[in-house]
């Protein structure tokens, strides 16, 4: 007997928790949902595990080259996260693209289908263009899918695709800091129910490595229940002695999949202990800032079911002229990207950290404020992503304390503390290029990095649903702040207050970001001066807002470094790039003149644009030598050294051996000149090339004594040629996915329409909507 049914599919995205809830009686707007234990839904199977006639598992065979046409690839191996998939689909998500080769007399029409696959989750889906997406989970260690293409004449060709389980979500925690002998438990989850697969953990010196690293790992333990996803854990212990502060990694792999997931562990000589889990927990007593929060109605519904939910960070406390206090966060966190109503309840923690269970429908979250107003994203008069909510009596710490912003305690943990306001009277200060800043957020906790660009014009996409399937608008913000550094921010940190690490004075309100091609976090923040000014103008009704805080104080910075330069210099150049640099050497040699301070030249690699060749120009460190930005169209790296090092071949290969946070300060005149060029050229650059979604002013990594236009480029649509200079100013390219707002959200693990035969060993009373918690599953 077959049971048939289906559930609508959701996007495959960053997952913090997964849930598809059956609503009890009550309105969807009130968020009435059934109660499951905190943060468990991510590890259980999709809400409906039903199959359609025709689904089957087992081995398959294929013929990739039929008599009339062929299909490619003939064989392939991917996982459920689409690791190994060969292209991205229209929405930017990975897909395995199949193609056929048709004879000259054959029509262009081809029909695609998939069969085989998993007994429960099916074979996945393929569309009319041959784009295949695997099922979201498996119940076996590997399955084979038969992809069949049929031509208009009836001829067929087939391909065998092997699918293995992929990671359901990033490892938790994503980052953590600790001193000697510190410990943290790392958890990983595979999209597999049952089976025998597991996760292998290893210490490494890099997030993609398999060896090295400091400290020790305990034994790995895995749970493989038939009605829950496979979960594996390992306990990491820091070494008994830490000579220098640095990052080590716990790297996870799953079976034969090429996918790797890593936790960044900051081993520090200061003995600071920080785990972002404390930012995601329910606050007992008045809530402190830097913690998880959301609008109580910030979830998506599918019919009578809650399909997913959102969450971000409660960033700071501000007050009006009458002393009334308000939570400050982003519009897209508190006001649901203009979709909310005044008076909406703001809860802590956010729904994302309470298994998508709104307040009033179960324990685990509490109302702390009522939505007061927001800067409308749809308005051309707004240039910030901000909203405020008046705090409920005794619900929020009236001092404005932010988690971990204070001094180190005896046990290594960091005290909460309000931001500094004594220098500016609560109005905040302006960001400077290279300034070390800190933020305390829901996902990555307390982290520090340096300001990498100022006066940034950037385009950001907004959606009306948590799963980001319903586009709302694209908004271009001007005069923004960019911050760059490993693990500085991630989804869910939206709304965090960015402060000057030297004095804790407010600098920015973090609202958008992502990870660049080098794996470095790229964050964008609204200047706090603009945020307060616009709140005063549009919501103030004659009053003036200011930050609630205390005397200026330092922040115990947790800096995970910045791998931009190291990865650019480790990038293998193409033959064409090496040839281009070598051809420019004849002209470059003419620059050598010890009398003018230029000691020698060589070929090398650019750090301003990874993958591009460059001319190394060695200059006398004690002389005021100048070098051109380009030679024969090839970038130059200007490296201060001495004649002996050049003669001995021991001169460095880059002017910046360490982190970009160590860049020297630029003179004000240099910055002013660069800003004038940026303001003249940014609009044209972004209008003429849609791949450019951001332009600001930063510092060249190829010659740190010069400013550079920092240009953000959509890596999926990057032009083949990118100019090394614009109006004589160096360019520095950041290749990454288009910037998106950085709330975190839960989305159901999508089960596509199919039927499921009752397989041997599947209990007749199996009900994935009435799952019980395994005895030893403790996620707190």
């Amino acid at each position: 007997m077959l049971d048939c049914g289906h559930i609508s599919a959701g996007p495959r995205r960053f997952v913090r928790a997964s849930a598809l809830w059956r609503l009890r009686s009550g309105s969807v707007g009130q968020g009435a949902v059934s109660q499951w234990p905190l943060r468990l839904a991510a590890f259980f199977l999709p809400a409906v595990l039903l199959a359609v006639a025709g689904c089957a598992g087992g081995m398959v065979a294929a013929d990739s080259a039929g008599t009339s046409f062929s299909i490619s690839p003939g064989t392939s191996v991917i996982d459920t996260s689409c690791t190994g998939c060969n292209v991205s689909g229209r929405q930017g998500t990975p897909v395995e693209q199949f193609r056929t080769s048709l004879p000259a007399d054959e029509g262009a029409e081809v029909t695609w289908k998939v069969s085989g696959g998993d007994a429960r989750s099916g074979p996945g889906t393929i569309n009319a263009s041959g784009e295949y997406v695997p099922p979201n989970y498996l119940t076996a260690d590997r399955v084979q899918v038969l992809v069949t293409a049929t031509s208009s004449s009836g001829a067929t060709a087939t391909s065998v695709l092997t699918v293995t389980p992929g990671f359901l979500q990033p490892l938790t925690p994503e980052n953590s800091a600790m001193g000697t002998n510190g410990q943290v438990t790392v958890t990983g989850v595979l999209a597999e129910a049952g089976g025998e697969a597991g996760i292998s953990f290893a210490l490494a010196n890099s997030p993609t490595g398999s060896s090295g690293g400091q400290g020790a790992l305990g034994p790995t333990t895995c749970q493989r229940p038939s009605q829950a996803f496979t979960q594996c854990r390992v306990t990491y212990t820091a070494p008994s002695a830490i000579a220098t502060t640095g990052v080590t990694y716990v790297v996870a792999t799953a079976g034969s999949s090429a996918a790797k997931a890593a936790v960044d562990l900051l081993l520090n000589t200061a003995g600071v202990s920080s785990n972002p889990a404390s930012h995601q927990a329910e606050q007992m007593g008045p809530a402190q800032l830097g913690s998880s929060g959301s609008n109580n109605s910030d979830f998506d519904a599918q019919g009578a079911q809650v399909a997913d939910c959102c969450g971000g960070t409660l960033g700071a406390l501000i007050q009006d002229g009458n002393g009334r206090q308000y939570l400050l966060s982003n519009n897209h966190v508190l006001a649901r990207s203009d979709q909310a109503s005044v008076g909406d309840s703001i809860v802590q923690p956010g729904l994302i950290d309470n298994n998508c269970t709104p307040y009033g429908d179960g324990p685990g979250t509490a109302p702390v404020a009522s939505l007061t107003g927001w800067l409308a994203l749809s308005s051309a008069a707004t240039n910030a992503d901000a909203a405020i909510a008046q705090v409920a009596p005794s619900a929020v710490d009236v001092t404005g304390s932010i988690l971990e912003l204070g001094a180190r305690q005896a046990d290594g943990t960091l005290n909460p503390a309000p931001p500094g306001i004594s220098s500016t009277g609560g109005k905040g200060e302006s960001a400077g290029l290279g300034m070390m800043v800190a933020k305390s957020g829901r996902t990555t906790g307390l982290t520090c990095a340096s300001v990498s660009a100022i006066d940034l014009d950037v385009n950001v996409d907004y959606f009306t649903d948590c799963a980001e399937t319903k586009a709302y608008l694209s908004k271009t913000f001007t005069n923004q702040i960019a911050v760059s550094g490993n693990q500085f921010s991630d989804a869910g940190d939206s709304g965090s207050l960015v402060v000057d690490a030297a004095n804790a004075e407010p600098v920015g309100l973090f609202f958008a970001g992502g990870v660049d091609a080098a794996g470095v976090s790229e964050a964008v923040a609204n200047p706090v001066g603009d945020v307060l000014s616009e709140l005063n103008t549009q919501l103030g009704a004659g009053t003036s807002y200011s930050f609630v805080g205390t005397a200026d104080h330092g922040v115990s910075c947790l800096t995970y470094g910045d791998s931009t330069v190291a990865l650019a210099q480790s990038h293998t150049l193409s033959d064409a790039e090496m040839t281009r640099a070598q051809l420019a050497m004849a002209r470059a040699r003419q620059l050598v003149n010890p009398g003018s301070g230029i000691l020698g030249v060589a070929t090398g690699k650019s750090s301003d644009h990874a993958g591009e060749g460059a001319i190394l120009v060695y200059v006398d460190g004690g002389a005021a030598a100048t070098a051109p930005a380009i030679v024969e169209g090839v970038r130059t790296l200007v490296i201060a050294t001495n004649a002996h090092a050049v003669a001995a071949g021991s001169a460095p290969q880059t002017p910046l051996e360490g982190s970009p946070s160590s860049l020297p300060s630029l003179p004000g005149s240099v910055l002013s000149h660069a800003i004038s060029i940026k303001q003249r050229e940014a609009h044209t650059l972004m209008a003429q090339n849609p791949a450019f979604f951001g332009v600001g002013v930063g510092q060249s990594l190829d010659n740190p004594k010069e400013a550079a236009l920092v240009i953000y480029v959509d890596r999926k649509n990057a032009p083949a040629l990118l100019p090394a200079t614009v109006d004589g100013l160096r360019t520095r390219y950041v290749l990454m996915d288009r910037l998106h707002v950085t709330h975190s959200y839960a989305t159901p693990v999508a089960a596509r329409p199919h039927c499921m035969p009752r397989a041997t060993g599947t209990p007749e009373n199996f009900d994935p909507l009435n799952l019980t918690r395994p005895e030893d599953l403790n996620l707190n």
Side-chain angles (χ1 to χ4, degrees), residues 116-494:
D118 189 85
R120 290 186 185 174
S121 62
T125 61
I126 192 166
N127 67 14
S129 300
E131 294 181 352
Y132 171 82
V133 177
N136 295 98
Y137 72 96
L138 301 179
T139 57
D141 295 342
R142 57 172 45 217
V143 300
Q144 289 186 313
V145 174
L146 185 66
V147 180
T148 303
T150 304
S151 72
S152 56
S153 67
T156 63
T158 53
S159 172
V160 172
L161 183 63
T162 300
V163 183
T164 62
F167 289 107
L168 185 67
Q169 61 183 30
L171 302 181
T172 54
E174 294 182 38
N175 59 288
S176 187
M178 65 196 70
T180 56
N181 299 313
Q183 287 191 328
V184 64
T185 297
V186 176
T187 302
V189 182
L190 284 183
E192 177 178 18
E196 299 179 354
I199 299 174
S200 297
F201 296 97
L203 284 175
N205 289 324
S206 75
T208 58
S210 58
S211 61
Q214 301 181 58
L217 293 175
T220 299
T221 59
C222 293
Q223 296 169 324
R224 303 180 181 88
S226 61
Q227 299 182 44
F229 291 118
T230 297
Q231 179 185 171
C232 296
R233 291 178 173 175
V234 68
T235 297
Y236 167 83
T237 303
S240 56
I242 298 174
T244 58
T245 296
V247 178
T248 200
Y249 302 88
V250 175
V251 181
T253 54
S256 59
S257 171
K260 291 187 176 182
V263 174
D264 293 33
L265 301 172
L266 182 63
L267 306 181
N268 61 93
T269 55
V272 172
S273 176
S274 172
N275 189 327
S278 63
H279 296 250
Q280 300 165 21
E282 182 180 8
Q283 302 280 302
M284 299 303 166
Q288 293 171 329
L289 290 312
S291 60
S292 169
S294 74
N295 187 301
N296 196 47
S297 299
D298 208 356
F299 57 84
D300 301 333
Q302 292 180 358
Q305 297 173 322
V306 172
D308 48 45
C309 59
C310 304
T313 299
L314 305 180
L317 195 64
I318 63 174
Q319 62 185 8
D320 63 19
N322 295 316
R324 288 186 291 261
Q325 294 186 331
Y326 305 84
L327 289 176
L328 172 66
S329 187
N330 294 142
N331 176 324
H332 73 266
V333 173
L334 300 186
R336 300 169 52 212
S337 298
D338 293 348
Q339 309 304 307
S341 299
V342 171
D344 279 0
S345 182
I346 305 303
V347 295
Q348 195 288 320
L351 300 186
I352 186 68
D353 292 311
N354 195 42
N355 231 13
C356 294
T357 306
Y359 174 74
D361 202 72
T365 195
V368 292
S370 296
L371 184 62
T372 303
W374 57 89
L375 303 179
L377 297 170
S378 60
S379 172
T382 61
N383 192 43
D385 182 345
I388 60 174
Q390 186 168 351
V391 301
S394 304
V396 176
D397 188 321
V398 296
T399 69
S401 283
I402 297 175
L403 293 172
E404 299 192 302
L405 206 64
R408 178 186 178 276
Q409 302 179 89
D411 63 356
T413 59
L414 298 173
N415 273 321
I421 62 169
S422 56
S423 296
T424 65
K427 300 302 183 181
E429 63 182 36
S430 299
L433 192 61
M435 173 189 284
M436 184 62 66
V437 294
K439 76 98 193 69
S440 177
R442 174 258 175 205
T443 302
T444 54
L446 179 73
T447 54
C448 294
S450 59
V451 174
S452 55
I454 56 174
D455 196 32
L456 173 67
D457 295 353
V458 62
N459 185 265
V460 179
D461 298 327
Y462 286 86
F463 300 82
T464 59
D465 61 333
C466 291
E468 297 186 354
T469 62
K470 301 173 182 177
Y472 176 43
L473 55 79
S474 291
K475 188 176 180 72
T476 298
F477 297 87
T478 60
N479 190 38
Q480 302 299 293
I481 305 165
V483 181
S484 176
N486 298 352
Q487 288 294 332
F488 178 73
S489 60
D490 205 345
D493 287 327
S494 270

